[in-house]
Every structure is written in C-alpha cells, then in structure tokens.
Amino acid sequence: METFKVAMLGMVDGNGHPYSWSAMFNGYDKAAMEECGFPVIPRYLEKEPEENFGVENARVTHIWTDDPADAVRVAAASNIAHIVKNPEDVIGEVDAVIIATDKGNEHVWRARPFVEAGLPVFIDKPMADNVADLKVFCDWVKNGARIMSSSSLRYTKEYIPYFISTHELGELRYINMTMMKSWERYGIHALEPVFRITGPGFVSVQNTGEAGRDMVHLIHRDGMDVTIASIYDSAGSDLKLVGTGGSVCVPSKDSYYSFRTQLQEFIRFAKGGERPYPFTETVELMELVIAGIRSRNEGGRKVLVSEIHAELKG
C-alpha cells in the first residue's frame, strides 16, 4: 500500500506538537527527542509499545517551522526525511498538511496556500479566535475545502464513558473543568470535551476573570451551567459532572491516546472518508472561544452566542 504523505508545518512558542505528532506517525530517535525542549513528550512517548506508533499507513515526510533551526531538530527527533525552506514547497509533494500551531489568529494565512491547492488540512486548536477569520474558514468549507480542526481532548480516553451517556448521573445540572495556559490557546481544550457531553446549544458566555486567570461561565439551552477556570500556571484538566442523581470527577491522563486518535481521524478524513463530526460543531466551539475573549475584554459582559453567530452570518 502506497504511503500517504503528510507535511508538518509551523511551530510556535510553548507548543511541541511537531515533535510528538510526527513521532506518532514515524517513530522517533530517543536521544534526539530528549533534547526537544518539552520534557513531557519523551516521557509519554517512552510508555508506548512499538506497535502503537504509526497512523493509518501515513508518514510525515516534510517539515517546515517558523525558525529553521527547529525544523532540523524536529526532523532528527521524529525521523522526517525532508526539510523545506518555505511551507508552500510541500505542495505537489504531499497528500495532506497539518498546521501544528495553536494561535488562532494566524491560521487563515498559514492554511490559505494549501486550501487553495486543494489539499486536506488539519489545523491545531483553536481554528480561529476572531469572527473575521472564522468566516473565512466557513466560506472555504462551504466551497468544498477539506478542513478539520479539534482539541485532542475530544478523544480523551477517560471521558469516553460520559461521551456515550451520563444517564447514571440523572439530568445534568453543572459541569466544571480546569485548564492550564491561556483561554485563547487552551480554552478549547476544556470546551470540546464538554461540548461532546452537552451537545450544541450554548446560549451565553461570561468571563469575569482576566488574561491568564480566565473564569468563564457558560449557559446551555438545556439548563446546564458550565464553568471553566483557565489559569495559566495550573496543572491538570479534571472534568466534573453534577446531575440530579449523582456526580463524578474524571482526570485526563493518556495524552498519547488522545493525540493519536485525533490524527487517525484526520488521516481517514483526508483519504476521502466521511467527516468524523459536523463542521458546525467546530464553528460553535470557535464562537464560544470568541465570546469568552470578548466578554473578558469588555469587563465581564455576558455575551450571547447569537451575537457572535449573527456577525458570522452578516
């Protein structure tokens, strides 16, 4: 079977996905990976048996990073054959592209050449953090572009039972989740698993915190209150569910499983498979990210999701 070729593109501060995601496809050099600058990556990679490496007969064959020196290090650590001078150099050489950066306000310009070339594109979370860029992505998908974006926590192994059903908890009344780093870049990590439990239909978002200490309260049309504390230097991403018949607190532990499952879903989609979940879900999640930013910037105002949606459609 012919290898499905993937380009890994972009690298920004605080995000080691080019190392870890490429290793999941290609395997890795242990000594070189120890020098990657992200100590957690070699620790969770070393826990995996050899048969857990490889993604759907695909391989990362090309790498480009914003700092050329990073590309050399990633290629050595994650067994990537080709380093390119410009990201557009991969057009005609690969079957799909992964934009491995998590700054939503950069993703339109990073993705544009590959969307216009007709390549399937995976975009690291969040896809967009402002209405103008989200509208561009919506227009591209409407016109047939094969774009996928998600948080890896959509696939958290420990959360799967509650993605399937929360019946044992009765009617859900309250959900809480904690998250590290910034709301702009990591809020989606909390929002996406919550969304898989609640389904669509969020009404409002209110952020009464400040940058680096975002305290976000969301209300769902089904009567659920959701709070997310996104604190820059916090640890852990525990999910708490409270219903009329019980409650549960679930930690997230297996990052490798989440990341690899996410990549498998993209490769299946890129090869011509069905979209694994409706693009409308990604759009609503981006509206929630945007509403949280707007609420904080406007002194904690309660922002209706319909307000963001109307601007998107306008």
Side-chain angles (χ1 to χ4, degrees), residues 178-182 212-215 229-235:
T178 54
M179 186 50 56
M180 64 187 73
K181 299 192 179 180
S182 68
R213 194 177 61 87
D214 292 87
M215 301 292 164
S230 186
I231 302 171
Y232 193 83
D233 56 357
S234 66

Side-chain angles (χ1 to χ4, degrees), residues 125-163:
K125 54 77 188 122
M127 185 177 70
D129 61 11
N130 61 86
V131 172
D133 286 355
L134 181 55
K135 184 174 177 58
V136 172
F137 282 114
C138 289
D139 289 343
W140 279 342
V141 170
K142 183 179 178 180
N143 291 322
R146 297 181 66 76
I147 297 170
M148 180 177 156
S149 179
S150 70
S151 159
S152 61
L153 270 70
R154 168 177 278 272
Y155 303 101
T156 301
K157 182 166 63 178
E158 296 83 4
Y159 299 165
I160 289 174
Y162 304 99
F163 295 157

Side-chain angles (χ1 to χ4, degrees), residues 166-184:
T166 57
H167 178 75
E168 68 205 67
L169 303 177
E171 294 183 25
L172 283 183
R173 292 288 184 260
Y174 174 65
I175 302 175
N176 171 260
M177 194 161 176
T178 54
M179 186 50 56
M180 64 187 73
K181 299 192 179 180
S182 68
W183 174 260
E184 284 85 346

Side-chain angles (χ1 to χ4, degrees), residues 43-76:
R43 299 291 75 80
Y44 70 68
L45 290 177
E46 70 186 4
K47 294 178 182 178
E48 300 301 317
E50 187 175 346
E51 61 266 25
N52 281 5
F53 290 86
V55 178
E56 299 291 318
N57 197 48
R59 188 171 184 85
V60 175
T61 56
H62 293 70
I63 178 76
W64 174 85
T65 57
D66 298 66
D67 180 347
D70 286 328
V72 175
R73 289 187 285 266
V74 175

Side-chain angles (χ1 to χ4, degrees), residues 162 165-175 197-198 220-225 240-248:
Y162 304 99
S165 173
T166 57
H167 178 75
E168 68 205 67
L169 303 177
E171 294 183 25
L172 283 183
R173 292 288 184 260
Y174 174 65
I175 302 175
I197 293 167
T198 65
H220 194 274
R221 67 187 175 197
D222 291 340
M224 289 171 279
D225 288 280
K240 184 170 186 178
L241 306 172
V242 180
T244 56
S247 65
V248 65

Side-chain angles (χ1 to χ4, degrees), residues 83-110:
I83 299 171
V84 295
K85 184 177 180 181
N86 303 296
E88 295 86 355
D89 294 344
V90 307
I91 295 172
E93 301 294 328
V94 299
D95 302 300
V97 163
I98 294 175
I99 307 295
T101 63
D102 61 357
K103 295 183 179 182
N105 61 358
E106 297 179 353
H107 284 155
V108 164
W109 68 259
R110 288 184 184 272

